[in-house]
Structure formats: structure tokens, C-alpha cells
Amino acid sequence: MGISRDSRHKRRKTGGRMPIHQKKRAFEKARQPAMTKIGHKRVHVVRCRGGNMKYRALRLDVGNFVWTSENLASKSRVLWVVYNATNNELVRTNTLTKNTIVEIDATPFKALYSKKYGVDLGKVKKDKEETEQKKEQSEKAKKVWEDKKKKWEELSKNLYIDPLVKEEFKVGRLLACISSRPGQSGRADGYVLEGPELEFYKKKIEKKSKQ
Amino acid sequence: MADVQTERAFQKQEIVSLRTKKFLTKKTSTGVRYWKNVGLGFKTPKSASEGAYIDKKCPFTGNVSIRGRILRGMVVSTKMKNTVVIRRNYLHYIPKYSRFEKRHTNISAHCSPAFDTIKEGDIVTIGQCRPLSKTVRFNVLKVQPNQIFGAARKQFVLF
């Protein structure tokens, strides 16, 4: 390809040129960037130095995202890129890289949260329907349901959810940050933004949308 | 707290998790901070443990370890962002004339925001760490303020 990662083409600290006395070596070679887009999964395997494999993701649509404060993790669909601190072009072209802020589908997290706490985020009506359904079940299932309810009551004493995140659930989309390197590992995994980080990025996005 | 976030990406210490229930419910203005003792008898400055700056290359609050050489020199330039140029003077012996000649080396060292009062002429102790940039392999560990008369480059001080 011609891309190399040598330091021979750079100048010295003093400003003087480095004499190029040898050709480019194989151990200095670099490859084209992945520029992972959003779409049906397409991952190429690359054989690297030492026989090791790198999984170059060219297109990804899902990732494993973790909701840290609730200790919940789920595979969720990546919808679109919202912010990238490095380059606005990457936002326009919906490119996934490490530390990209994306919007993800909130439904898996809604389900996990209701399973853990018995609280439905976003809608109130569903709760009543569910309790009616449970009443019709067999005795065994009833007992399980009662146990769950007890557990939920206990947990509900320490319930806290970031107000900004709660709002996001109403829309059905969460803001998340990619923490894996899609061009290296072939995955777009990350964490749901919360607290000060969420406030920071929300401000940045609003500022951009105003412009 | 807000002045820390000057970059386009959210500045944070990687080790500290700001997404725990404990931190979110408290919502204290002080926040959680990671700082460490670099070892080798160097005291961690108060501004490192109590400050709010985020610097991943700081030896006290970042992800660098000090190992290898520990050197002393005089600060010659503070014009770079978060790095200083240090000058180390030494005498080189010429056997033919049984005399010495003056020589010097310039070293670029990363200077943590903990030492924000550093200026030209200060005597500084630097410790070797992993390469932080093209020319920086050292980190400032201790600053001894010093007043000099004239240019820092013209002083010949041996340590």
C-alpha cells in the first residue's frame, strides 16, 4: 500500500533531516483505516504480525452496551452517530470509532430494568396490564410473582435513575459512547452515558444542532 | 469544575468511574479523584490530590510510571503546552590538555498542571517514564524555585 509507521521520514529534535539509508521495512507497515459504517455486519479478518488476527469491522449494526450504574448489559442496535470529538466528517458519514457518541435502541434496557425492579420506564399503562395478566396464571407462577414483587419492593427503596437518562427512555433511544475499537476488535461495544459525561455531550450536541 | 472541560471530548480520569450509583446519587461538587504516590521518596504535591485538572501524562494523577533514571536540571523554556525544556550542564575532559570543556544537553520533560508555578531558571528533578511523545521521555517530579539573573541558557550550574 505504501503507508508506513517509521520515524525516518521525520526530522530530528534539532530540526535536521534524517538520512534515509534503508528501504521501508515490513515491521513498520500500516494499513488503511477501517472507517466502520453502520449497516449489516461486515467484518474482515486480517492476519497481522506474529500470526495474530485483527477483526476489521467495515459495517456494524449492533453492539454490547453496559448501563454501568444499574449493572445491566445488553446487545443493542446502534442507530446513528451523534457526535465525534475528533472530526465532524465522521459524524456526517456515520462512522464508528472509539469514543464516538451514538444513539442506541433503549428497548433491551427497558426490559432488563423492568425485570430487575418491576418498574416500567417511559410508560405507566403497561404496568396495570401486566399485573392483570399475572393474576390469571397458575398457583406456582403466582408464588414466583409474589416473590418477585417482594424483591422489587425491597429494591425500590434504593431506586435512583439519572433524570436525563429517564427522559431518554421516554423517547426510546439512549446516548452511548463506543469504548471498543471497531477496526481492531470488530465490535462496537460501549457504555450508556450518564451523569456529568451525559450533560457534557448533550451540551455539545445542542450547540452543534443550533449552528 | 467546568474549566477542566476545555477539549471537545469529555476529560476524565480513566480509572475513576463517574457512572456508579454512589457517585450519581451523591452529586457532590468535589467528585472522586485518583492520585498516586510515584515512589522513590517523591512527595505528591497537594495540587495533584486536591486539584481538578485532568492530565493522563501526569505522574501523580495519570497513567505513567516513573522508572529508570532520575535527573536534575534547570528549566530553560516553559513555552510548550504542559512540557518544559531542561538544561543539564556537564564538563567533558580533554586528556591532551588535561582540561575540561563545558557541554550541555537539553531534555524535554512533561510538566504536570500540578506544577503550574514553574518558570525559567527553576531547578527541577525529572524522572524517566515511557515515551510520551516524539521527544518526551521524562516527567517533572519536583520543583525547587530559583531566582536567576540573566538568561537561563547562560547559567552554568552543575548538579
Side-chain angles (χ1 to χ4, degrees):
Chain A
M1 264 296 139
I3 316 174
S4 73
R5 299 168 62 239
D6 66 325
S7 60
R8 282 191 313 276
H9 70 280
K10 299 206 78 161
R11 284 182 185 251
R12 293 180 213 263
K13 184 178 171 177
T14 54
R17 283 201 183 274
M18 291 271 265
I20 300 180
H21 64 297
Q22 67 185 49
K23 297 179 174 189
K24 290 188 188 178
R25 296 281 190 253
F27 56 76
E28 299 168 325
K29 79 149 173 242
R31 295 185 185 85
Q32 295 280 6
M35 296 304 203
T36 315
K37 301 283 185 292
I38 299 177
H40 185 69
K41 178 164 118 176
R42 190 187 284 187
V43 178
H44 284 184
V45 189
V46 179
R47 186 212 175 264
C48 301
R49 187 152 181 86
N52 303 313
M53 295 302 192
K54 280 192 186 177
Y55 301 94
R56 194 127 299 160
L58 303 171
R59 290 192 200 158
L60 288 174
D61 50 359
V62 289
N64 194 33
F65 293 93
V66 61
W67 189 2
T68 329
S69 64
E70 299 296 335
N71 234 342
L72 299 169
S74 165
K75 188 161 86 171
S76 176
R77 214 162 38 98
V78 173
L79 300 169
W80 47 75
V81 172
V82 169
Y83 182 77
N84 193 320
T86 316
N87 194 352
N88 286 328
E89 176 99 23
L90 297 172
V91 180
R92 253 191 301 130
T93 51
N94 265 339
T95 306
L96 297 173
T97 63
K98 183 171 178 246
N99 215 34
T100 309
I101 310 300
V102 293
E103 278 206 340
I104 60 169
D105 190 16
T107 43
F109 292 98
K110 240 191 233 183
L112 283 174
Y113 196 83
S114 67
K115 195 177 175 189
K116 187 177 176 185
Y117 293 110
V119 176
D120 238 325
L121 297 159
K123 289 177 187 178
V124 186
K125 276 184 183 175
K126 244 190 179 179
D127 228 325
K128 285 186 182 170
E129 282 174 34
E130 264 193 70
T131 46
E132 279 177 35
Q133 275 178 22
K134 297 293 175 185
K135 278 182 187 170
E136 292 166 12
Q137 280 174 1
S138 62
E139 270 192 41
K140 206 181 185 183
K142 251 193 183 172
K143 215 228 159 208
V144 171
W145 175 247
E146 306 278 282
D147 286 340
K148 260 196 198 167
K149 261 179 114 180
K150 256 193 208 169
K151 194 177 172 191
W152 285 341
E153 273 172 42
E154 271 187 58
L155 290 171
S156 65
K157 290 171 194 167
N158 301 325
L159 217 68
Y160 174 81
I161 182 169
D162 193 340
L164 285 174
V165 178
K166 205 171 182 180
E167 271 178 52
E168 284 183 338
F169 269 107
K170 286 186 184 158
V171 189
R173 298 189 303 270
L174 296 171
L175 277 177
C177 180
I178 309 273
S179 60
S180 69
R181 299 174 72 190
Q184 307 283 314
S185 61
R187 292 163 199 264
D189 300 334
Y191 57 88
V192 173
L193 288 176
E194 290 181 277
E197 259 191 281
L198 180 56
E199 288 168 27
F200 175 85
Y201 282 117
K202 275 213 145 152
K203 259 193 245 168
K204 289 280 176 187
I205 296 163
E206 276 166 31
K207 214 178 174 186
K208 240 183 66 177
S209 64
K210 272 185 189 169
Q211 282 179 345
Chain B
M1 274 300 256
D3 5 287
V4 176
Q5 306 294 345
T6 50
E7 307 292 334
R8 290 195 54 183
F10 184 74
Q11 302 293 105
K12 62 178 181 199
Q13 292 186 302
E14 285 296 319
I15 290 177
V16 169
S17 177
L18 302 172
R19 298 191 305 276
T20 55
K21 266 271 177 69
K22 202 173 161 188
F23 181 76
L24 289 173
T25 47
K26 245 199 209 166
K27 274 201 175 166
T28 49
S29 53
T30 49
V32 192
R33 190 165 179 80
Y34 163 77
W35 58 273
K36 69 171 187 259
N37 169 29
V38 295
L40 303 161
F42 289 102
K43 279 186 76 186
T44 309
K46 273 238 168 73
S47 46
S49 48
E50 292 167 8
Y53 69 85
I54 307 286
D55 184 11
K56 66 180 182 191
K57 297 180 183 176
C58 170
F60 310 107
T61 62
N63 186 23
V64 290
S65 66
I66 303 298
R67 74 285 180 286
R69 299 210 183 259
I70 311 290
L71 309 171
R72 289 187 74 194
M74 182 184 280
V75 174
V76 148
S77 156
T78 56
K79 297 200 192 101
M80 285 191 280
K81 181 181 176 189
N82 278 340
T83 62
V84 290
V85 176
I86 284 141
R87 185 183 169 113
R88 298 185 71 228
N89 297 305
Y90 59 98
L91 293 166
H92 178 244
Y93 185 67
I94 311 286
K96 180 180 178 187
Y97 298 101
S98 1
R99 286 187 172 92
F100 293 91
E101 63 178 5
K102 287 183 188 172
R103 286 192 182 181
H104 79 275
T105 319
N106 281 359
I107 298 178
S108 294
H110 183 268
C111 186
S112 163
F115 301 112
D116 55 353
T117 54
I118 203 166
K119 60 186 193 306
E120 290 183 21
D122 287 347
I123 310 296
V124 130
T125 306
I126 55 176
Q128 190 182 4
C129 53
R130 64 171 159 88
L132 302 175
S133 81
K134 180 180 168 201
T135 56
V136 178
R137 282 100 175 90
F138 284 86
N139 227 314
V140 171
L141 299 173
K142 190 165 74 175
V143 177
Q144 178 197 321
N146 184 35
Q147 198 196 24
I148 47 156
F149 303 96
R153 278 174 232 267
K154 300 287 181 184
Q155 317 281 320
F156 189 86
V157 193
L158 284 171
F159 293 104

